Amino acid sequence: MLARRRTALALVSAALLACTPEKGETTATDATTGTTTGPTTGATTGATTEATTASVTTASDPPTTGGTTEPAATGSESTTTTTGTSTGVDSSDSETTTGTETSSSTSGETTDTGGEPALCEGTSMSSLPGVTIVFPPQPCTFTVAETHAGVIFHYEVHVEAALPDVQAYRQDAGDCDEPGPSGLIVAPRIFGGDEMYCFCNQGLCPGLDIPPITLQPGVYPGELEWKGWNWQGPHVDLGPAFPPGEYVVQERAIGSFKSNGADVDYEVLAQLPITLLP
């Protein structure tokens, strides 16, 4: 009997020794606190956090240049807002897209050479030394409707140096022409086929002689306005309209000048070809 008690006491003592922690060991704690006490030689001050939290956050990938950036994964669902402009490249068609499409604007003045009026320069001929009439570059193609609205042809009389003893001759039927700013009488004419526009009949004038003068150097601009009709002066009825075709605008001066003491006739002529379209 005594032996049995001793055996039982020995078993109890062994069990108690097994349950008692030795110095330096960590004691078990309640699982609900989530806190672990370190060994007595160096107590742990940090807390072990429960592995599971209310929401899980994962690092998002860097934004791609091609599409919408994936939002970071959180415990609650989030909505991705797309901005008005995307500067990325769509990998499916490799085209760069933007939120706003831009296109080149067209100014009030066209840059297409097909839409610009053709510019022409006239031809010149002169037997008067140092004096010419020129047509500077200007439109030379018109529709019939444009001429009826009125077109203007520009010309210039160029005198290079002073030229004495120059006499101008009238070119109209009634001797009504008078010299212009240059000192020459420049008579206009538009013609081609059976069509004619001129100042040929201005009535009857006294026809007084025009004395010789000295032409002065300079550039003397002039212009001729035309509305597309046949006409030969204020004493002639307005004729029919010029039909589509090829015509010539002409500015002409005639007269005489002194050369080695003798009178020499001269002609100064400029012509500009024009085209009328339907």
Side-chain angles (χ1 to χ4, degrees), residues 5 26 32 66 75 79 91 94 154 166 195 207 210 225 232 243 255 270 274:
R5 285 183 179 180
T26 303
T32 59
T79 302
S91 60
S94 300
H154 299 274
V166 177
E195 318 304 319
I210 300 172
E225 183 177 5
Q232 296 187 23
I274 64 171

Side-chain angles (χ1 to χ4, degrees), residues 20-85:
T20 302
E22 294 184 2
K23 188 177 180 179
E25 291 182 355
T26 303
T27 59
T29 59
D30 195 306
T32 59
T33 63
T35 304
T36 304
T37 304
T40 56
T41 56
T44 302
T45 59
T48 302
T49 307
E50 190 79 36
T52 303
T53 60
S55 63
V56 178
T57 302
T58 60
S60 62
D61 293 331
T64 62
T65 59
T68 304
T69 303
E70 291 290 340
T74 61
S76 60
E77 182 180 355
S78 62
T79 302
T80 302
T81 302
T82 304
T83 59
T85 303

Side-chain angles (χ1 to χ4, degrees), residues 49-268:
T49 307
E50 190 79 36
T52 303
T53 60
S55 63
V56 178
T57 302
T58 60
S60 62
D61 293 331
T64 62
T65 59
T68 304
T69 303
E70 291 290 340
T74 61
S76 60
E77 182 180 355
S78 62
T79 302
T80 302
T81 302
T82 304
T83 59
T85 303
S86 170
T87 58
V89 178
D90 189 347
S91 60
S92 63
D93 54 9
S94 300
E95 291 182 357
T96 303
T97 57
T98 58
T100 303
E101 182 180 356
T102 59
S103 60
S104 58
S105 60
T106 304
S107 61
E109 184 176 352
T110 180
T111 57
D112 183 4
T113 56
E116 295 179 350
L119 300 182
C120 301
E121 293 186 24
T123 59
S124 298
M125 183 277 294
S126 177
S127 57
L128 184 61
V131 180
T132 54
I133 301 174
V134 300
F135 283 103
Q138 57 193 287
C140 59
T141 301
F142 313 92
T143 65
V144 172
E146 286 174 334
T147 61
H148 290 175
V151 294
I152 296 177
F153 300 105
H154 299 274
Y155 67 93
E156 298 170 347
V157 177
H158 291 207
V159 180
E160 296 180 1
L163 185 63
D165 297 322
V166 177
Q167 188 168 12
Y169 294 166
R170 296 183 177 99
Q171 301 178 57
D172 67 304
D175 287 336
C176 295
D177 285 339
E178 292 296 331
S182 66
L184 301 180
I185 296 176
V186 181
R189 183 175 296 191
I190 303 174
F191 62 92
D194 295 330
E195 318 304 319
M196 174 69 72
Y197 177 88
C198 66
F199 290 82
C200 302
N201 189 347
Q202 303 179 54
L204 294 176
C205 296
L208 299 177
D209 290 339
I210 300 172
I213 63 170
T214 297
L215 301 184
Q216 299 300 319
V219 175
Y220 303 90
E223 62 182 34
L224 169 64
E225 183 177 5
W226 180 51
K227 293 192 175 181
W229 304 96
N230 278 269
W231 188 70
Q232 296 187 23
H235 285 266
V236 180
D237 292 337
L238 192 67
F242 276 53
E246 305 289 331
Y247 301 99
V248 174
V249 180
Q250 175 183 280
E251 299 288 349
R252 178 175 180 256
I254 59 174
S256 65
F257 70 102
K258 291 289 186 182
S259 176
N260 298 323
D263 291 332
V264 178
D265 290 339
Y266 68 80
E267 179 182 27
V268 184

